[in-house]
Amino acid sequence: MRAPAALALVCAVACSTPRPPPGGTVAATRYVQATAWTAPPETSQLADVVRAAMGPGGAALIVDPALTSTARAIAERVAADPAHRPPSARLVQGLAWQAGLTDPIPSIVTVHRGGDGALGDETAAGLREIAAQDQPSHLGVAEVSRGAERWMVIALSRRRLRLAAVPRQLSRGARLVLEGAIEPGLRSPTLSLAHPDGRVEDQPLGEGPGFLVRVPLDAAGVWQVELEATGPEGNTVLANFPVYVDAPAPAAPDDSAPEQVGDPVEVEAALFRLTNEARARAHLAPLAVLPALTEAARAHCRDMAEHRFVAHNSPTQGTTTDRLQRAGLRSGLTLENVARGYGPQEIFDGLMASPGHRANILNADVTHVGVGVARDPSGNGLLVTQDFVAVATAIDPAGAAQSLLRAINLARRGRGLSPLEERPILTTAAREAAAGFFRDPSRTQQQSLQDASTRVQREGLLFRRISLAAAFGPRIDGAERLEPLLDEASRFIGVGVAQGDRPDAPPNSVFVVYVLAVPR
C-alpha cells in the first residue's frame, strides 16, 4: 500500500456553488458563500471520517459544497494520473476559483485508501496538525475509485468573512459591488485591487465589521480582488479572487505537476531572482540583499516552524517592526510577505496572484530585501518570509543643497515669484543647525531651528524678517515643496543639508534646514 500523500497549500480563495454532476466540473458564474447545504449521504459519511481523524479540532467543521466540488475535481485528477501526483498550488487555486470560492486557498490532503477505508495514523496526524496550525472552519471531501483503489481528497479552509455574491464576469463600465462583514476579533477591512495593467490600489473600508464598496470597472481584463483585515496575527488575507471584465475566464486551470520541496538556501536564492525579474519587467530598480535582513527573515521562518503558525505577528517575537528593530534594522518603510508552499516558482506565483503581496514585491520605494526559508515540520513544504525595507543611500550634502535651491526657484518661477538668492550667513546658519541635529540626538527639530535663528539674529541689521523651515526623513525627495519657500516677500535663503543616524529614525536619514530672509 502506498503511503498517504498530503499537501497543504496557501494563498488563494474559497466559497460555494451547487455540486457538479458526476464526471465533470461546472464553473460557477458567481462567487457565492453557501449559508445552508444538505450534503449527500456519501459526503456526510466521508466528512464524519475526517472529523473523527482530526479529533476535537474537527468537530465543528462545516461541510461546504464548493470545497467539496474542488475536492472532487482534484480527486478525479489524482486518480486518473498514472503517477497519482498531488495537485500543484496553481491547480488548486484555479479549481477553487472555478467552484466559486473566495477564501484564501484551501489546504489540500490527498489520501490513497486501503480496503478497510480507515485513515492511517500518518494522515490523521497531518490533519490534526492542519487543525492546530490553520484552524479551519469549513470542509470539503470527495472520493474517487479506480478499480480496487480509492482516492480521497480533503479540502480545508478558514472562512473569516461573510461576503455577498459577486459575479465572476462583468462588462466594462459596470461596478464591482463588495458587501460583507469580517468576523469578531478582526478590524479595519481593506480592499487591495490589482487592475488589469498591474497597478494595485488600496482602499480602506472603515473599522468594520460591516463594509460596502462599489468599484467602477473602467478597463477590460482581469481584476484581482483581495480583502484583508487586521487581527492578532497582523494583516490577514480574508479573500482573493479574480473578476473577468469583457474577458473570458480560463476554461481549465493550470494542471502542471507541483514543484518538489527544495533546499531552503536554493529556494531563497530563486525567490530573490524571481523578485528582481518581476521588478525589471515593471521597470523598477532591483533590490539589494541586506544580510541582517536575511537573517531576520530566516529567524521568523524558524519561529513559524517551531510554534506552528503562518502569520506576520509572532506569539513570542511580536510584530515585524518589533523583530526588525531588535535586529538593529530601522527603516522609514518596512513591508513583509509570508507564505507556505513547495517550490520557488509555485510560491512566487502565489505571492504575485495576491494584490497585497504583489504590491510589496513591486513597491518602488523599497531598496533592500531579506528572504528566509525553512522547512515546515508538519510536512507541508516550506515556510517563507520576505522582508523589504527602504534604506537611504549616502548623498553629497552640498550638492543636495544646490539641487534643492534650483528646484525651489523653479517652483517660484512657476508661481510668478522672484528667485531666492543664497547668502553665506544664512547658509552657514542652516548648515550648522542641520549638522547639530545629528551630533546631539537629544536636540529636537525645533531646537535646531532656534539655533539657526539665534545665529542669524546676531546680524539682524541686515534683514527685516527671518523665517525658518525644515524637512526630515529617509530621503531628500519632496523637501523642496514646503509652503514657506513660496513666500512672496522673501528674497534671500540659506540651505543646510545633513545626513546621519538618530535613535528615533532610520539610518542615513536626511535633515534639511531652510533660513529665509526679507531684506530691509
Side-chain angles (χ1 to χ4, degrees):
M1 173 178 171
R2 297 183 184 87
L7 177 65
L9 305 167
V10 295
C11 217
V13 294
C15 216
S16 62
T17 190
R19 183 184 179 194
T25 301
V26 177
T29 59
R30 299 185 302 166
Y31 300 102
V32 183
Q33 292 181 345
T35 55
W37 184 61
T38 302
E42 64 272 21
T43 302
S44 296
Q45 292 168 7
L46 291 172
D48 288 341
V49 170
V50 174
R51 291 191 184 104
M54 294 183 76
L61 284 171
I62 299 170
V63 182
D64 183 84
L67 281 170
T68 297
S69 175
T70 303
R72 179 168 294 279
I74 293 171
E76 289 172 347
R77 284 168 168 78
V78 172
D81 181 3
H84 305 298
R85 298 169 297 174
S88 68
R90 288 182 294 274
L91 175 61
V92 174
Q93 181 171 265
L95 291 172
W97 287 338
Q98 278 194 344
L101 295 163
T102 60
D103 308 337
I105 191 169
S107 297
I108 300 295
V109 177
T110 63
V111 184
H112 177 243
R113 299 241 279 169
D116 60 2
L119 297 180
D121 292 342
E122 183 178 346
T123 299
L127 288 170
R128 289 193 295 272
E129 180 70 32
I130 293 174
Q133 183 167 286
D134 297 344
Q135 301 176 23
S137 60
H138 288 70
L139 161 70
V141 60
E143 189 173 66
V144 172
S145 299
R146 288 293 184 271
E149 295 184 322
R150 289 184 294 165
W151 294 91
M152 175 192 283
V153 170
I154 303 160
L156 297 161
S157 176
R158 185 178 184 184
R159 187 167 301 163
R160 309 182 69 182
L161 166 75
R162 294 198 317 273
L163 186 65
V166 179
R168 291 188 72 213
Q169 293 186 295
L170 288 166
S171 298
R172 184 176 178 179
R175 288 183 178 270
L176 172 66
V177 180
L178 301 171
E179 182 176 10
I182 57 178
E183 73 172 16
L186 298 175
R187 59 182 173 81
S188 303
T190 300
L191 167 65
S192 290
L193 187 66
H195 293 236
D197 61 5
R199 175 170 48 95
V200 177
E201 173 187 3
D202 289 335
Q203 181 174 347
L205 303 179
E207 281 302 304
F211 61 86
L212 171 63
V213 62
R214 296 178 176 88
V215 181
L217 302 174
D218 55 5
V222 182
W223 294 68
Q224 194 72 29
V225 179
E226 188 167 73
L227 292 163
E228 305 166 337
T230 302
E233 302 104 345
N235 192 52
T236 302
V237 176
L238 307 180
N240 179 19
F241 56 93
V243 173
Y244 303 92
V245 176
D246 288 338
D254 187 325
D255 206 359
S256 57
E259 292 183 279
Q260 298 300 309
V261 174
D263 175 76
V265 175
E266 293 177 354
V267 174
E268 289 173 356
L271 288 171
F272 175 71
R273 173 180 55 79
L274 290 168
T275 295
N276 274 338
E277 287 175 354
R279 291 178 65 87
R281 289 191 294 272
H283 308 291
L284 296 172
L287 301 179
V289 172
L290 195 60
L293 195 60
T294 298
E295 184 48 45
R298 288 172 175 169
H300 187 55
C301 289
R302 293 193 295 267
D303 184 33
M304 290 193 293
E306 180 180 353
H307 293 97
R308 302 297 199 270
F309 72 98
V310 183
H312 298 288
N313 291 357
S314 164
T316 59
Q317 301 300 315
T319 67
T320 303
T321 301
D322 293 337
R323 291 184 273 108
L324 296 188
Q325 285 184 346
R326 279 198 303 274
L329 296 162
R330 303 187 314 277
S331 172
L333 176 62
T334 299
L335 304 171
E336 182 174 81
N337 289 342
V338 293
R340 184 173 61 197
Y342 281 79
Q345 189 66 56
E346 178 178 280
I347 293 167
F348 190 75
D349 288 347
L351 291 169
M352 292 296 283
S354 160
H357 296 92
R358 176 190 178 93
N360 290 345
I361 290 170
L362 300 182
N363 188 292
D365 294 325
V366 296
T367 58
H368 291 71
V369 66
V371 182
V373 176
R375 293 184 183 275
D376 188 339
S378 68
N380 295 328
L382 301 166
L383 299 168
V384 176
T385 301
Q386 290 180 310
D387 285 323
F388 306 87
V389 297
V391 176
T393 56
I395 63 171
D396 169 27
Q402 291 302 308
S403 296
L404 287 171
L405 181 56
R406 286 193 294 271
I408 292 165
N409 280 333
L410 184 62
R412 288 177 66 89
R413 186 173 69 182
R415 294 277 191 97
L417 302 176
S418 59
L420 296 173
E421 298 178 24
E422 191 175 15
R423 285 290 186 268
I425 186 173
L426 304 180
T427 298
T428 299
R431 286 176 177 172
E432 284 297 318
F437 182 66
F438 289 110
R439 280 198 303 267
D440 183 359
S442 68
R443 298 195 70 74
T444 66
Q445 294 184 47
Q446 190 59 40
Q447 288 172 327
S448 297
L449 293 181
Q450 185 59 47
D451 291 343
S453 177
T454 301
R455 188 181 186 101
V456 174
Q457 284 173 2
R458 296 172 189 160
E459 308 291 337
L461 295 177
L462 297 177
F463 308 111
R464 180 162 55 88
R465 176 165 59 85
I466 299 295
S467 58
L468 301 105
F472 179 51
R475 293 179 298 278
I476 202 168
D477 305 344
E480 75 283 4
R481 294 195 289 268
L482 301 180
E483 191 63 29
L485 302 173
L486 300 176
D487 174 51
E488 183 177 0
S490 295
R491 291 291 182 271
F492 306 128
I493 190 172
V495 183
V497 178
Q499 186 175 37
D501 296 348
R502 285 173 60 99
D504 57 347
N508 280 351
S509 290
V510 178
F511 188 46
V512 180
V513 175
Y514 298 109
V515 183
L516 297 104
V518 178
R520 287 192 176 276

